Amino acid sequence: MTPEENLAHLWQLLDTNHEAPSAHKYDAARKFVGQLIGVAATRVYITYISKAGNLSVRGSQSTGALKSDVVIALIKRRTEDPATHRAARSFVERTGKPVLLLQRASEESIEWHPIGGYALSIDPRGQTLLTKLSSIFGAPPHQAIPMSEDFAASNAIQYLEGLGITGSVMGSALSEWHDLSNMLASVMQSDIGLSAAEVAVVARRRAIIAELKEMIADPSTTERDLHRKVKGHYWIFGGRYTGVSERNSLIPMDEYDIPLFCADGSIHIVELKGSHITKLVERQRSHLIPGKEVHKAVGQAMNYLRDLDEAGAAMETYYRRNGIEYDLCRARATVVIGNPDHVDIPADTRLNLGPATRQTIDQAIRTYNALINRIEVVTWTDLLDAADRSLKFEEESAGSESADHTDLPGQRSSAPEISQEAEGEETIF
């Protein structure tokens, strides 16, 4: 559609009673504009302005305007152009929202013609949206309102404090903001911001560990449930891993649960099994030995490693030719399986043996690990306990650094950057 056709269609959608107190009168127009510029209809705010002074006040007090990506103001009066533009500038300065102005051709007309728009100079996304609208509806070029980042930050803090917005509310709102990554990068340039970001990451990860512990305690939790929960949270397996392969299959016919990259570039395969395995260990005469499910899982990992040993060199050459660096030489594997709490082996009065305990089950697994090579078996309980201890260490470290900053307010920290997935402390293996 041409700009003229887009504008004519918008007129039809705006042909409504603008004075009516209806929250849905512009729904169709918002949906149309949103589709054209690639944002959700709920992120487009359209408001009718009967007089210039209402623009700054109404827009600043409207929840819909404050949640929007772009504001379209329908200007009723043609006799207030200078005042309208001053109000629009004030609105943008107060809220940071880009605004496009449409003015009515006459009191009786259904035609609305664009007369320009405003966006902050420090808001590239807002300027992009106005540029799109200008192209779509044939609007005059928008004006960028000069504003320094320091001035913008000061205004933002005063505005939020005036609304009584707390840190928790602000954090929840920012989590859905389009510019969240840049905001976090700016916050973490300060010692206080870095410490707060570290604490927030640790708190979120502690919550994930708590959820996983509840899941492995529930007999109805399936292996698939655990797979879904662990996906994307590979920090659980420890700090010696630098990432996860995007490919779950590194050689033909084998597909791994989690192929991790070690710090030296080698591959570590993690095989996830269920947590509710009542025969995680079994009694053989006077001893406990790993059960059938453990042997099957280890056998599966053994086959993966054997195939990597046999085909790894050829596949490395293939990957390298395609610009992918994989070190498939002598990979290792870990099997995560079972929860000792689900094992119930009663006392054997004939052999004068007590019931199986967490300690004796751990000893049986540890003995088994000592006699196999390049594969380690860990229970879900051990894995999560180790991850929890690692996070506790991170919390204590963050608290210690915060105390140091309190004692020496003028001293900057040399704290390292934190990444989305990598943790500094080793969890397990």
Side-chain angles (χ1 to χ4, degrees):
M1 295 174 67
T2 66
E4 293 77 15
E5 291 171 336
N6 286 329
L7 194 58
H9 184 61
L10 182 62
W11 293 344
Q12 296 176 5
L13 299 178
L14 292 175
D15 187 12
T16 183
N17 181 4
H18 299 284
E19 306 286 352
S22 170
H24 303 286
K25 58 188 174 185
Y26 299 127
D27 282 0
R30 292 164 57 202
K31 182 178 180 181
F32 174 62
V33 173
Q35 289 174 339
L36 291 177
I37 62 176
V39 302
T42 55
R43 309 292 292 186
V44 178
Y45 183 73
I46 300 178
T47 182
Y48 177 71
I49 305 300
S50 59
K51 59 181 180 180
N54 288 347
L55 174 55
S56 179
V57 175
R58 180 177 299 176
S60 302
Q61 294 178 350
S62 168
T63 302
L66 297 177
K67 288 183 177 180
S68 68
D69 288 339
V70 65
V71 175
I72 297 178
L74 307 177
I75 310 302
K76 174 183 178 181
R77 300 185 181 181
R78 301 181 61 84
T79 58
E80 297 183 337
D81 283 5
T84 296
H85 283 277
R86 286 195 299 271
R89 290 178 63 94
S90 176
F91 165 76
V92 175
E93 290 172 352
R94 292 177 62 181
T95 66
K97 302 297 181 180
V99 61
L100 175 69
L101 304 177
L102 299 182
Q103 191 172 63
R104 206 170 201 170
S106 67
E107 290 287 339
E108 296 78 22
S109 176
I110 67 166
E111 297 181 5
W112 297 88
H113 296 283
I115 61 173
Y118 295 92
L120 294 179
S121 61
I122 59 173
D123 180 16
R125 185 170 187 267
Q127 295 188 57
T128 299
L129 292 177
L130 288 185
T131 300
K132 286 184 179 180
L133 289 172
S134 177
S135 174
I136 290 167
F137 295 120
H142 69 271
Q143 295 185 33
I145 301 174
M147 181 172 289
S148 70
E149 294 191 5
D150 290 342
F151 182 73
S154 176
N155 274 6
I157 293 173
Q158 292 178 10
Y159 180 66
L160 294 173
E161 289 177 343
L163 294 177
I165 294 179
T166 63
S168 59
V169 172
M170 190 62 191
S172 177
L174 287 175
S175 67
E176 300 179 5
W177 191 29
H178 68 273
D179 204 23
L180 179 61
S181 58
N182 288 335
M183 183 274 295
L184 288 176
S186 298
V187 167
M188 290 174 62
Q189 289 177 5
S190 69
D191 292 338
I192 294 176
L194 178 59
S195 178
E198 289 173 335
V199 170
V201 169
V202 170
R204 175 57 184 153
R205 292 181 174 182
R206 290 292 291 272
I208 292 170
I209 293 296
E211 292 172 15
L212 278 167
K213 286 186 174 182
E214 290 182 2
M215 291 178 67
I216 67 169
D218 184 354
S220 65
T221 299
T222 65
E223 180 179 327
R224 186 181 296 272
D225 294 334
L226 292 170
H227 274 251
R228 284 196 293 261
K229 190 63 180 178
V230 170
K231 185 177 181 180
H233 302 298
Y234 306 125
W235 48 267
I236 290 173
F237 301 102
R240 70 170 67 176
Y241 304 105
T242 59
V244 61
S245 171
E246 295 180 357
R247 303 168 182 268
N248 279 22
S249 179
L250 300 179
I251 61 174
M253 300 180 69
D254 284 347
E255 186 170 341
Y256 320 120
D257 289 343
I258 305 175
L260 297 173
F261 290 116
C262 300
D264 62 359
S266 62
I267 295 293
H268 192 120
I269 297 169
V270 177
E271 185 65 26
L272 302 179
K273 297 300 180 183
S275 57
H276 185 244
I277 298 177
T278 56
K279 292 187 177 181
L280 179 67
V281 296
E282 299 176 328
R283 196 186 297 283
Q284 185 186 50
R285 296 194 175 97
S286 59
H287 301 286
L288 294 178
I289 62 170
K292 179 176 67 175
E293 293 300 319
V294 175
H295 290 293
K296 286 174 59 179
V298 169
Q300 182 179 356
M302 285 180 177
N303 287 328
Y304 289 156
L305 297 184
R306 181 200 63 195
D307 290 349
L308 281 170
D309 288 343
E310 294 176 352
M315 293 307 299
E316 274 189 45
T317 302
Y318 169 79
Y319 286 128
R320 194 176 297 113
R321 188 167 63 243
N322 289 277
I324 302 173
E325 291 294 332
Y326 284 150
D327 185 351
L328 305 182
C329 178
R330 293 299 182 265
R332 301 181 64 84
T334 295
V335 173
V336 185
I337 185 171
N339 177 355
D341 292 341
H342 296 310
V343 176
D344 184 16
I345 300 179
D348 188 328
T349 55
R350 185 177 62 85
L351 296 175
N352 195 26
L353 298 173
T357 64
R358 169 73 182 274
Q359 181 181 15
T360 57
I361 293 172
D362 286 346
Q363 288 175 348
I365 298 293
R366 194 160 61 245
T367 301
Y368 185 67
N369 283 330
L371 299 173
I372 55 179
N373 189 28
R374 295 169 57 192
I375 300 174
E376 183 177 14
V377 177
V378 297
T379 64
W380 280 100
T381 307
D382 285 339
L383 176 69
L384 298 180
D385 284 349
D388 208 8
R389 287 192 299 272
S390 177
L391 293 178
K392 184 177 180 180
F393 175 83
E394 292 290 341
E395 284 181 323
E396 292 173 349
S397 298
S400 174
E401 289 180 5
S402 297
D404 290 343
H405 293 319
T406 302
D407 295 337
L408 300 171
Q411 183 175 356
R412 283 192 60 81
S413 167
S414 59
E417 295 182 1
I418 60 173
S419 66
Q420 181 179 3
E421 291 301 334
E423 283 287 275
E425 290 303 312
E426 182 174 317
T427 299
I428 203 166
F429 311 146

